[in-house]
C-alpha cells in the first residue's frame, strides 16, 4: 500500500484511538494587510499554518511522559515488536523509549557533524535503525502488506507520529488555497516536514473540501520539505531549494510571498533571501513572535494575517 492507502486503511479500523485535534485558540492580534504588487508565487509552512498540530509544531519527543509512553506502546502492539525486544523488567514502552531516544541522539549527532547549523532528521530513518536492531532478534514484518523496509518504516513513522500528536486543518485552509489558485497564483510549500507530512496535509485539507491530490493546489516542483533538503528552519536551505526551482521560470524572490507562523524560523530566513513574508497569527499554539521582533526591521513581516483567507488581500486582484 502507498502511504495514503495505509492511512485510509487505518481509518477503517475501530480498534484505534488517536489524540484529539486541538481547538483553534486565536491570539489577540490585529491584521496588517498591506497589498504587495507583483506576487506570482505564494508558499506556505505546513504545521502551525495550514495544519493545526498539538504543541504547535512537529516533534520527535512529547514533553508529556504519558503521551510519549502511550505512542510507543501503541507502536509496539501495532507492529508486533515485543517478541523481538528485551525481557528485562519494565514496561515495553520504556525499553523502546530508551532505544528510540538513543538512536535519535545518534542520528542527530551524525547530522550535526556537517556544516549545516540546523540539520533535519528523517523520522523513517530513525525507525529503520530500530527495526534493523530488532531484526537481529528475528523480528520480521509482512513485506506483501507493508512493502520494502523503507516503505515499512515510513508507515511506522506515520503511525507513531499520529499517535504522538493530533493534526487537523487550520480554519479556512482549503478555501484560501482555492481562492489563491483562482487568482492565477502558483502555490508551493517551503516547510519543515517528514515523508508522511504530505499525507497528513492532504487528509487535513480533505476535511474542508474535495481534493484529489495535493497537485490540485501545489506545484509539485515547489514542494520543499526539510526531510528532503536535509535542513530545517531557520536554515535558509529550504528557500534556496525553492528559488532554484523558480529561477528557470524567471521568477525572482521579490515575486514570492511566504506565509508562516514562526517569525524567527519562517519570516527571518525568507526575508534574508529577499522574499516577501506574511506572519500567520491565527493560532496561539503555533504563533512564535514577540513585539520586539515585530518592531525590528530585520524580522518585521510585510503583512500580518489573522485568518488564512486574508492572504488573498495581500497578493492583490486576479491577474
Amino acid at each position: 500500500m502507498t502511504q495514503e492507502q495505509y492511512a485510509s486503511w487505518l481509518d477503517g479500523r475501530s480498534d484505534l484511538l488517536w489524540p484529539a485535534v486541538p481547538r483553534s485558540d486565536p491570539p489577540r492580534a490585529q491584521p496588517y494587510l498591506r497589498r504587495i504588487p507583483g506576487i506570482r508565487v505564494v508558499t506556505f509552512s505546513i504545521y502551525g499554518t495550514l495544519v493545526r498540530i498539538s504543541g504547535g509544531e512537529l516533534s520527535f519527543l512529547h514533553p508529556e511522559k504519558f503521551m510519549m509512553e502511550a505512542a510507543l506502546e501503541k507502536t509496539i502492539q501495532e507492529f508486533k515488536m515485543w517478541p523481538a525486544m528485551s525481557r528485562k523488567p519494565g514496561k515495553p514502552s520504556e525499553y523502546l523509549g530508551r532505544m528510540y531516544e538513543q538512536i535519535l541522539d545518534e542520528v542527530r549527532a551524525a547530522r550535526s557533524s556537517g556544516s549545516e547549523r540546523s540539520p533535519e532528521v528523517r523520522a523513517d530513518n530513525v525507525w529503520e535503525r530500530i527495526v534493523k536492531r530488532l531484526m537481529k532478534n528475528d523480528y520480521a514484518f509482512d513485506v506483501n502488506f507493508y512493502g520494502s523496509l523503507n516503505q515499512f518504516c515510513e508507515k511506522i513513522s506515520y503511525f507513531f507520529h499520529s499517535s504522538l500528536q493530533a493534526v487537523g486543518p487550520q480554519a479556512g485552509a482549503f478555501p484560501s488555497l482555492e481562492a489563491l489558485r483562482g487568482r492565477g497564483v502558483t502555490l508551493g510549500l517551503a516547510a519543515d516536514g517528514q515523508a508522511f507530512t504530505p499525507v497528513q496535509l492532504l487528509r487535513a485539507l480533505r476535511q474542508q473540501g474535495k481534493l484529489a491530490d495535493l497537485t490540485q493546489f501545489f506545484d509539485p516542483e515547489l514542494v520543499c520539505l526539510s526531510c528532503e533538503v536535509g535542513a530545517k528552519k531557520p536554515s535558509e536551505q529550504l528557500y534556496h531549494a525553492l528559488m532554484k526551482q523558480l529561477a528557470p521560470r524567471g521568477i525572482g524572490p521579490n515575486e514570492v510571498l511566504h506565509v508562516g507562523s514562526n517569525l524567527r524560523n519562517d519570516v527571518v530566513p525568507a526575508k534574508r533571501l529577499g522574499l516577501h513574508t506574511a506572519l500567520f497569527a491565527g493560532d496561539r499554539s503555533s504563533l512564535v513572535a514577540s513585539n520586539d521582533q515585530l518592531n525590528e526591521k530585520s524580522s518585521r513581516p510585510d503583512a500580518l494575517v489573522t485568518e488564512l483567507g486574508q492572504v488573498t488581500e495581500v497578493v492583490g486582484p486576479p491577474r
Side-chain angles (χ1 to χ4, degrees):
M1 291 187 291
T2 64
Q3 188 80 295
E4 184 183 344
Q5 290 170 330
Y6 173 69
S8 297
W9 175 76
L10 291 176
D11 284 345
R13 291 172 50 182
S14 59
D15 60 324
L16 296 173
L17 294 175
W18 305 103
V21 178
R23 292 185 178 182
S24 180
D25 182 18
R28 298 178 64 181
Q30 292 294 322
Y32 174 67
L33 307 177
R34 181 173 72 88
R35 180 165 291 176
I36 306 172
I39 295 297
R40 298 171 62 187
V41 176
V42 176
T43 61
F44 290 86
S45 296
I46 298 176
Y47 296 112
T49 303
L50 294 175
V51 172
R52 292 205 319 277
I53 184 169
S54 56
E57 62 181 357
L58 188 69
S59 301
F60 280 83
L61 298 168
H62 201 286
E64 296 183 19
K65 183 180 178 181
F66 169 78
M67 290 298 296
M68 190 70 190
E69 289 182 348
L72 290 166
E73 194 67 44
K74 286 174 63 176
T75 303
I76 292 169
Q77 294 178 7
E78 178 68 19
F79 299 101
K80 301 176 176 60
M81 295 177 172
W82 182 231
M85 292 166 61
S86 170
R87 289 296 183 271
K88 294 180 181 179
K91 298 178 182 178
S93 59
E94 292 177 352
Y95 175 87
L96 182 59
R98 287 192 294 270
M99 187 190 305
Y100 175 81
E101 291 192 36
Q102 177 192 358
I103 290 176
L104 180 60
D105 287 342
E106 290 174 358
V107 174
R108 282 175 169 168
R111 296 287 298 122
S112 299
S113 61
S115 58
E116 174 56 54
R117 293 184 178 181
S118 302
E120 179 62 292
V121 171
R122 288 188 64 107
D124 50 333
N125 286 353
V126 172
W127 285 104
E128 185 170 330
R129 291 196 182 199
I130 292 174
V131 170
K132 285 181 176 178
R133 189 173 294 186
L134 295 178
M135 282 178 166
K136 294 179 180 179
N137 295 327
D138 297 324
Y139 178 71
F141 62 92
D142 188 345
V143 176
N144 292 325
F145 184 80
Y146 290 110
S148 65
L149 175 62
N150 177 257
Q151 293 169 325
F152 177 53
C153 294
E154 285 184 357
K155 293 177 175 68
I156 296 177
S157 63
Y158 173 83
F159 183 93
F160 172 73
H161 281 275
S162 296
S163 302
L164 196 67
Q165 293 177 282
V167 296
Q170 197 69 259
F174 185 98
S176 301
L177 296 172
E178 193 172 45
L180 287 167
R181 289 292 295 134
R183 294 189 175 208
V185 177
T186 299
L187 302 181
L189 298 167
D192 287 345
Q194 294 293 322
F196 55 78
T197 297
V199 173
Q200 289 190 325
L201 174 60
L202 175 63
R203 293 164 61 76
L205 292 175
R206 281 178 175 170
Q207 294 180 38
Q208 297 182 337
K210 189 175 181 180
L211 191 67
D213 54 53
L214 290 180
T215 60
Q216 187 174 323
F217 283 150
F218 303 103
D219 186 321
E221 293 185 355
L222 303 182
V223 176
C224 303
L225 299 180
S226 58
C227 68
E228 300 293 344
V229 176
K232 60 184 179 180
K233 298 175 182 180
S235 172
E236 297 174 2
Q237 293 307 312
L238 282 166
Y239 302 104
H240 280 300
L242 174 70
M243 297 315 302
K244 185 177 180 179
Q245 294 296 326
L246 289 174
R249 307 185 192 188
I251 298 176
N254 64 329
E255 297 173 290
V256 181
L257 173 71
H258 181 72
V259 184
S261 59
N262 188 308
L263 198 147
R264 172 180 175 269
N265 290 352
D266 295 319
V267 172
V268 172
K271 282 177 66 72
R272 280 201 294 260
L273 268 66
L275 282 70
H276 292 288
T277 57
L279 179 69
F280 173 63
D283 193 344
R284 197 185 304 271
S285 67
S286 62
L287 176 62
V288 180
S290 67
N291 288 332
D292 288 342
Q293 290 173 321
L294 289 170
N295 292 325
E296 174 62 39
K297 184 177 180 180
S298 63
S299 57
R300 185 187 307 138
D302 297 292
L304 189 149
V305 299
T306 54
E307 299 175 5
L308 287 174
Q310 294 167 347
V311 176
T312 56
E313 300 180 46
V314 177
V315 301
R319 293 199 302 273

